[in-house]
Amino acid sequence: PIFTGRYPHNAVPTAPSFAAALQRVGYRTAIMGEDVPGYGPGGPPAPGWDEWDVTSGSASGFDFDLDENGTVQHFGRGPGNYITDVLAAKAGEFISSATQAGAPFLLVVAPTAPGPTVAPPPRDAGAFPQLGAPHGPAFGRLPSDPPAWSAGLPPLSGTDLLTLDRDYERRVEAVQSLDRLVRHVGHVLQGGPAVDNTYVVVSSSGGY
């Protein structure tokens, strides 16, 4: 949706994104991960992308389908099949291929982690015990003049607090795989001629 402002949320992305404009002037373009929420493997690749590796994701991080340029591949639970690791490997391969060909490139990597339900990889599970969700000055407190929708809300229960802590710790654990993805992309760029002529833009989705 950020690509042109012409994509309505959860819609099939038939309108060309800004990738199409770059493609027309010689860029090699790739998108890997989640394109538009709700648009997963099996649909036609959106216009503008030379490489289209789109997935709808997986709550476990394993057992997911990846649409590789119109061919759906299934990834099971084997080593190396955690979804963020798969995207990291494919991103590195694309950068290496584009730079070896001497082509300018656009690469969009959109992992599904660390969303509200995506589990961390097994090697990171439990890495932050008792971390807990941040408790700022406003945590668990209603404002002095709350709006009608929140005025009657009860205080957070013990169960609520445990759930918040658990979900926060799982997201922090899942972020570790994103850190490795970023490091891998940086390492591949550092090893090639494009390192001094590449912009890296980091954004987030859903506040996670």
Side-chain angles (χ1 to χ4, degrees):
I2 66 171
F3 292 158
T4 62
R6 296 170 62 189
Y7 287 6
H9 192 64
N10 289 355
V12 175
T14 55
S17 72
F18 78 124
L22 293 177
Q23 190 184 57
R24 285 194 296 270
V25 295
Y27 277 69
R28 289 181 63 176
T29 62
I31 185 167
M32 300 173 179
E34 191 176 48
D35 182 48
V36 172
Y39 185 76
W49 302 105
D50 295 310
E51 184 163 342
W52 170 264
D53 298 319
V54 170
T55 179
S56 56
S58 159
S60 70
F62 296 95
D63 285 324
F64 64 94
D65 291 330
L66 186 68
D67 189 329
E68 299 177 337
N69 301 315
T71 300
V72 178
Q73 301 287 345
H74 182 74
F75 290 79
R77 299 193 61 85
N81 280 1
Y82 184 71
I83 188 168
T84 311
D85 297 339
V86 171
L87 297 179
K90 293 184 76 66
E93 291 166 3
F94 174 80
I95 293 170
S96 296
S97 175
T99 54
Q100 288 171 10
F105 63 87
L106 161 73
L107 169 63
V108 176
V109 185
T112 54
T117 60
V118 179
R123 63 182 177 274
D124 297 316
F128 296 90
Q130 279 77 55
L131 176 65
H135 289 201
F139 184 86
R141 297 177 58 186
L142 284 175
S144 57
D145 186 20
W149 66 267
S150 67
L153 291 178
L156 293 171
S157 68
T159 300
D160 293 332
L161 294 172
L162 289 173
T163 299
L164 287 171
D165 287 344
R166 181 199 63 203
D167 290 350
Y168 183 78
E169 289 168 10
R170 280 166 57 92
R171 287 198 292 272
V172 172
E173 293 163 2
V175 163
Q176 306 314 302
S177 65
L178 300 186
D179 288 346
R180 286 189 287 269
L181 183 154
V182 172
R183 282 196 297 269
H184 179 63
V185 168
H187 178 75
V188 175
L189 283 172
Q190 289 288 341
V195 64
D196 294 325
N197 195 30
T198 300
Y199 290 90
V200 178
V201 179
V202 180
S203 66
S204 67
S205 172
Y208 295 109

